[in-house]
Amino acid sequence: MDYADIERGLMELRDYEKNAKCLYGSNPEAFDHVVWSWEEFSEGFRRTARTEVELGEKPGFSMKSLLTEQDFFSEEGKEVSVLLHDRYVPPFYHSLKFIKIVYALRGDFFFYLRENGRDRRTRMEEGDFVIIPPEVSQAVFTGDEGAVTVNVIIKRSTFGEAFYSLLMENDSISDFFWQMLYSKGNERALLVRCGRDGRLRNLILEMCAEGILDRRGSAAGKNLMMKGYVMLLFGRTMKEHSGEMESIGHLSEADAVLPEMIRYIRKNYTTVTLPTLAEHFGKSEGYLSRYIRRETGKTFRFLLKEFRMKQAVQMIENSSCSIEEVAAAVGYADISCFYRNFRESFSMTPMQYRNIRSRISI
């Protein structure tokens, strides 16, 4: 299947898009503003309609206010998913429990972000895309039958594991990604103005072929390919278009400190304590403890354990060190504490984890 065939396979309107198109054609003005619900949209539609159109109590398409990972990753082991954005469906605010990339494959779309209680609308042209963190109130609208807008959905944990080297950079882009992974009060998104980069476009088409059009092959193989595509997408974007990235949305002074603090914990995970962290940032322990919990929804102890466990599994998978040596290397003087935390994180012992991973690698 060549790229032209893949694109043709994505073009046909689905039945509920046809219904939404009829609604749009009867009163396009009603689609000019983002809404929070079908009821709000219906009220505005009736107020601005020039002819009487019957609207049902419920929409004929999905307008869920919250989308979770379970909605798209019901298959065990699946970490990346791709789907088409629904054309002509009214722009409505919703939040996500995962990371979403919205790519303008053909034509353009409008992206809405809730910022300081106001609606911010941005037009994304063909070849552009936007990276949307979890928890952000946002909306997308595509009002052209010839347009194709692609959603790439990534598990939060998958992104953190795949792009740790990017997170350790000290720049505004890595700060955005730290906030995306750890801040629970985000009101930001990252716009990427790629122009018509043919290689990125073909990459998205290949993702669509693999994730939408071709249902053959093993689930594990497809998941590995989709993760590879995402890494290629980010790699090429960082290499060729880092200067065309723009972070939009609200960032408070308190939010701005979070990436630096998370980076410090990650860098010093073997020795850092709450008192040393407070001393480094010139804050009291009580303030810092409350700040971390408020901004991330996690305690300092939990974050520290998370970083240590990630390093521990890397060593268990990629070295011949004994479990005792791994525990000491990641900051645990008490081996029983290491075992307890490992079991809490992975529901198995370190040796069981090593045995499973060694069988998979064979």
Side-chain angles (χ1 to χ4, degrees):
M1 185 181 296
D2 62 24
Y3 293 123
D5 288 336
I6 296 171
E7 190 170 346
R8 279 192 291 271
L10 305 173
M11 291 294 297
E12 185 176 355
L13 282 177
R14 292 157 287 182
D15 288 341
Y16 57 87
E17 289 180 307
K18 293 176 183 177
N19 295 334
K21 181 183 177 182
C22 292
L23 202 61
Y24 177 78
S26 65
N27 185 10
E29 183 182 346
F31 292 72
D32 286 343
H33 304 285
V34 65
V35 297
W36 288 93
S37 66
W38 172 248
E39 290 74 20
E40 182 184 347
F41 172 78
S42 299
E43 182 183 340
F45 187 95
R46 293 188 180 99
R47 188 174 60 249
T48 56
R50 292 188 174 87
T51 58
E52 186 173 342
V53 177
E54 185 176 345
L55 297 176
E57 291 185 7
K58 296 182 179 180
F61 30 76
S62 176
M63 287 183 68
K64 291 180 66 175
S65 60
L66 175 65
L67 297 174
T68 67
E69 289 189 349
Q70 288 72 28
D71 291 321
F72 297 98
F73 300 108
S74 56
E75 299 173 32
E76 186 176 354
K78 191 173 184 180
E79 299 171 88
V80 177
S81 185
V82 61
L83 62 153
L84 300 180
H85 179 76
D86 299 334
R87 286 163 286 190
Y88 296 109
V89 170
F92 65 99
Y93 277 128
H94 56 288
S95 59
L96 321 165
K97 289 295 185 180
F98 45 80
I99 294 161
K100 182 169 75 169
I101 299 170
V102 187
Y103 182 89
L105 178 68
R106 183 185 177 103
D108 55 22
F109 66 83
F110 285 108
F111 172 67
Y112 295 85
L113 180 70
R114 193 69 174 171
E115 181 183 1
N116 282 333
R118 297 183 177 182
D119 302 330
R120 174 171 181 160
R121 185 173 85 159
T122 304
R123 180 178 176 179
M124 304 298 290
E125 298 182 348
E126 187 170 310
D128 296 342
F129 64 91
V130 56
I131 303 171
I132 306 169
E135 317 293 344
V136 173
S137 294
Q138 47 78 42
V140 172
F141 178 65
T142 303
D144 178 4
E145 182 173 344
V148 178
T149 305
V150 178
N151 294 327
V152 179
I153 296 169
I154 311 161
K155 277 188 173 180
R156 196 174 194 159
S157 58
T158 298
F159 184 91
E161 292 166 5
F163 296 99
Y164 242 70
S165 59
L166 170 62
L167 294 171
M168 291 311 294
E169 296 296 321
N170 190 9
D171 57 31
S172 59
I173 301 303
S174 63
D175 283 357
F176 173 84
F177 289 131
W178 276 121
Q179 287 158 345
M180 180 171 74
L181 288 174
Y182 286 99
S183 176
K184 66 182 182 66
N186 237 325
E187 287 188 332
R188 304 179 73 204
L190 189 67
L191 309 181
V192 187
R193 304 286 191 180
C194 293
R196 300 198 177 189
D197 185 321
R199 291 174 67 180
L200 280 181
R201 189 175 194 277
N202 290 344
L203 192 60
I204 295 293
L205 283 168
E206 289 178 26
M207 292 184 76
C208 290
E210 191 65 41
I212 299 175
L213 303 179
D214 187 358
R215 299 298 182 181
R216 299 169 302 168
S218 73
K222 292 177 79 68
N223 184 63
L224 188 60
M225 288 186 67
M226 296 299 283
K227 286 176 65 176
Y229 283 133
V230 169
M231 295 191 75
L232 284 171
L233 175 66
F234 275 97
R236 178 161 181 82
T237 301
M238 295 300 298
K239 179 185 176 185
E240 303 290 343
H241 302 287
S242 60
E244 288 102 43
M245 293 182 174
E246 176 192 1
S247 177
I248 64 169
H250 173 66
L251 180 65
S252 68
E253 187 175 342
D255 292 333
V257 179
L258 183 63
E260 185 180 351
M261 195 172 292
I262 297 295
R263 191 181 287 112
Y264 183 87
I265 298 172
R266 170 64 182 87
K267 186 177 181 180
N268 300 282
Y269 66 89
T270 59
T271 58
V272 67
T273 63
L274 187 60
T276 61
L277 184 68
E279 181 181 0
H280 180 81
F281 285 94
K283 305 292 183 182
S284 72
E285 292 179 42
Y287 169 84
L288 211 57
S289 179
R290 291 190 298 273
Y291 170 81
I292 291 173
R293 192 175 189 97
R294 183 182 71 245
E295 294 299 315
T296 70
K298 303 174 182 178
T299 64
F300 166 78
R301 187 186 296 273
F302 186 92
L303 285 178
L304 182 59
K305 183 181 77 170
E306 191 174 65
F307 287 129
R308 286 177 170 178
M309 290 299 105
K310 285 181 179 180
Q311 185 61 31
V313 296
Q314 289 290 320
M315 293 186 67
I316 290 171
E317 290 180 15
N318 302 307
S319 79
S320 58
C321 294
S322 69
I323 301 304
E324 290 74 14
E325 288 171 329
V326 171
V330 299
Y332 285 93
D334 182 351
I335 188 67
S336 63
C337 182
F338 173 75
Y339 270 89
R340 183 171 61 254
N341 286 345
F342 195 96
R343 185 180 284 278
E344 287 175 358
S345 299
F346 303 104
S347 301
M348 65 182 75
T349 68
M351 188 54 70
Q352 287 171 333
Y353 185 94
R354 172 170 275 172
N355 291 337
I356 289 172
R357 298 305 298 180
S358 64
R359 287 200 298 270
I360 291 174
S361 63
I362 292 172

